[in-house]
Amino acid sequence: MTASRLANRLALALVVLIGWASAARAQAIDAQDSEGLRGGWYPWDPYQYLDYGPRVPILTGFDIEIERAIARRLGVQITLPQVAWTEQLAALARGSADIAAGATRTELREDFAYFSKPYRTETDVLVVRAGASEGLPFRTIADMLNTFVKRPFRVGVIWGYVYADPAVNAFIASPANRQLIVPVGNDAQNLENLLAGVIDGFLADHVAATTTAWRRGEGGMIEEHPLRFSTDIHLMLSRKTQTAETLSRLNAAIDDLKRSGEYERIAQVYVLPVLINQTIDQDWFRALGVIGIVAFAVSSVLLAHEGKYTLFGALLFASLPAVGGGVVRDLVLQRYPIAVVRDPSLLLIALATVLVGMLVVRAATALQAASRERYVGAYSALISRAIEVCDAIGLAAFTVTGVVVAMAAGVHPIWLWGPICAVLTSAFGGVLRDLFRHDRVMANLSGELYAEIAAVWGLGFTLFLDWEIGRLRPDEIAFGVVVTVVGVFATRMVAIVRRTKGWRFG
């Protein structure tokens, strides 16, 4: 055999060997794709949690839905059993799991996992009892850690969790600080330890911490220290089961997720409503809603008295502005069960107000017969102004509620449906009442600026929340709610005082 023929055969054998290896690798990748991705989850609301709906608990959350959306783009199935975070990391290292979400990048983890490009950011805070931040004047990470040592300050942490600042992680890992560190499995345990006095504070993702406290009804008992520190959050792929090619496809899926707008829709549905509800679920906001309901009911009693309607008529007139707009909104958005069925408290308040109001009207009628007309007229004018003020408060509260419901429903485009739901929730019930009264000149459609106020401020609040998706700051969201409430109320008051009419045709 000549040397050239031998060389040709060796080259052919090498080509065959390379082809066989490439085919085997492709088959392995195809097999992995057909099997899907093995992940996991642990309680970390609102990123990963069970939603106990009307039927069965459903696993959902921001990170969960991000993983599912990426798996769809990769063309694979993803399995997500419940497993502790430390166990999930160990599974990635030994190759019995393929993917994990919500991860901070570290050198140690890079030994066993590929890291995707960042898909969100995380901001960590120190959570303490309400009022305790005033006694902690530090403004830097170094000063905070020095304060922990000098006090001493017992700090709750989640075991195996990597926080946003390397100095904090080094402090937690140091044997010298072992007496100061109280490791637990989740934020709920940290919150329990804080309120029980076991720890003086705990470090946590600020969104997860406030959500946990809100779910438990203990948000008013804690506060966040002003110091904040942030980092990027990634998806991890096991180096034992995945390849650099899979990582590249994963990064492309993240880009497509954001480019398509699905990322914003996931944040809009699974994170923003939770953060907004933490504000509107507080006593002061609920009080505004109750004041508005009472104002609607009182005005309905006066209309029923003026038109000489029956008690049933008065009850109907009070119910429509109180819950009618919300019913129409939920029917349009196909939300079931509708809000008044889930929580009939507002309807009951309206009905109770009507019953009390009828008694007051009868007493006022008797007073009118026994009093001078000029005093009664002044008294009636005062009542009318009070109703307008309370009605403006209700308009403000329901405008915010309408936008929040639109966000939670995941409708698109949100810049359109946010203002529409604000108008439906706050003003449409009054329109329905006037229709039932056969009022030829509907107050909500021909009087001072009313529905227009809800539409304009609803649009502004919607655009603000859409911008806030990239930040997810509970304090900023709470500020936005307050600004919207004050803005709607002030605008309505100016319209009443100046008798500013709505935009008209003709």
Side-chain angles (χ1 to χ4, degrees), residues 470-492:
R471 300 171 59 81
L472 299 178
R473 295 284 299 272
D475 52 342
E476 293 179 357
I477 292 174
F479 179 75
V481 171
V482 172
V483 168
T484 304
V485 168
V486 173
V488 173
F489 176 78
T491 306
R492 175 60 180 159

Side-chain angles (χ1 to χ4, degrees), residues 318-331:
S319 301
L320 287 173
V323 300
V327 169
V328 173
R329 175 204 65 210
D330 289 350
L331 290 175

Side-chain angles (χ1 to χ4, degrees), residues 284-293 295-296 386-401 426 450 484-486 488-490 492-493 496:
W284 68 270
F285 191 88
R286 286 196 295 267
L288 295 183
V290 171
I291 291 173
I293 292 293
F296 292 149
I387 291 176
E388 288 178 333
V389 170
C390 293
D391 179 86
I393 293 174
L395 178 69
F398 289 172
T399 297
V400 171
T401 301
S426 60
Y450 194 86
T484 304
V485 168
V486 173
V488 173
F489 176 78
R492 175 60 180 159
M493 286 292 96
I496 291 173

Side-chain angles (χ1 to χ4, degrees), residues 163-199:
Y163 292 90
D165 189 273
V168 172
N169 296 315
F171 181 89
I172 295 172
S174 174
N177 302 319
R178 187 171 301 167
Q179 299 299 319
L180 301 175
I181 305 301
V182 181
V184 296
N186 52 55
D187 287 319
Q189 291 175 282
N190 270 326
L191 181 59
E192 290 177 2
N193 286 342
L194 176 62
L195 298 181
V198 176
I199 57 177

Side-chain angles (χ1 to χ4, degrees), residues 41 47 58 74 107 123 145 292 356 363 379 393 447 489:
W41 76 279
Y47 302 113
I58 298 175
L74 296 180
E107 292 184 5
T123 299
L145 300 179
V356 174
Y379 179 74
I393 293 174
F489 176 78

